[in-house]
Amino acid sequence: QVELVESGGGSVQAGGSLRLSCAVSGNTASSNYMAWFRQFPGKEREGVAAIRTGWYSTYYSDAVKGRFTISLDNAKSTVFLQMNSLKPDDTAAYYCALSYSGWWANPANFAYWGRGTQVTVSS
């Protein structure tokens, strides 16, 4: 079994930064992506950033390119999302996820999800 636990969310002023962490445990040997998604109230979950577990290629949504950075620690036990220059439009629940096939930005391809952490950005 795989367990994902997010932390690091909170409230921040526009222009500020937050660093989200996702602790990963269990058998992840066959995974292809570890990713961050976010969900706005009343909206579908959307991809934010992903990292390929085999060779660490990274991918970002257009909305966060240049502001967010995804990374993985040396033990591959924690996925980070460094969020800089935050905007009120970034306010959402953020989730980490693990996939075994398919394109990273499609939520249907992800087999395991964390429970989420709330990020609130005020103007």
Side-chain angles (χ1 to χ4, degrees):
Q1 298 296 321
V2 174
E3 184 178 17
L4 307 173
V5 181
E6 303 97 336
S7 62
S11 298
V12 65
Q13 296 288 328
S17 298
L18 285 173
R19 188 192 191 194
L20 305 184
S21 298
C22 175
V24 183
S25 61
N27 186 1
T28 62
S30 299
S31 65
N32 61 341
Y33 294 106
M34 294 182 183
W36 288 94
F37 288 76
R38 66 186 181 184
Q39 188 167 25
F40 306 109
K43 302 293 185 179
E44 296 294 318
R45 202 164 293 183
E46 65 179 37
V48 175
I51 185 165
R52 185 88 188 209
T53 56
W55 51 87
Y56 290 20
S57 297
T58 58
Y59 308 85
Y60 298 93
S61 69
D62 289 341
V64 307
K65 285 180 181 177
R67 298 189 297 121
F68 291 10
T69 303
I70 189 170
S71 61
L72 187 64
D73 71 355
N74 291 335
K76 298 184 179 181
S77 62
T78 308
V79 185
F80 301 97
L81 185 67
Q82 179 66 46
M83 305 185 294
N84 298 326
S85 301
L86 283 162
K87 306 173 181 179
D89 287 348
D90 295 318
T91 296
Y94 284 73
Y95 301 84
C96 64
L98 181 71
S99 73
Y100 293 90
S101 64
W103 184 240
W104 75 269
N106 185 354
N109 293 330
F110 286 77
Y112 296 96
W113 295 85
R115 295 183 64 183
T117 186
Q118 180 67 35
V119 172
T120 301
V121 184
S122 60
S123 60

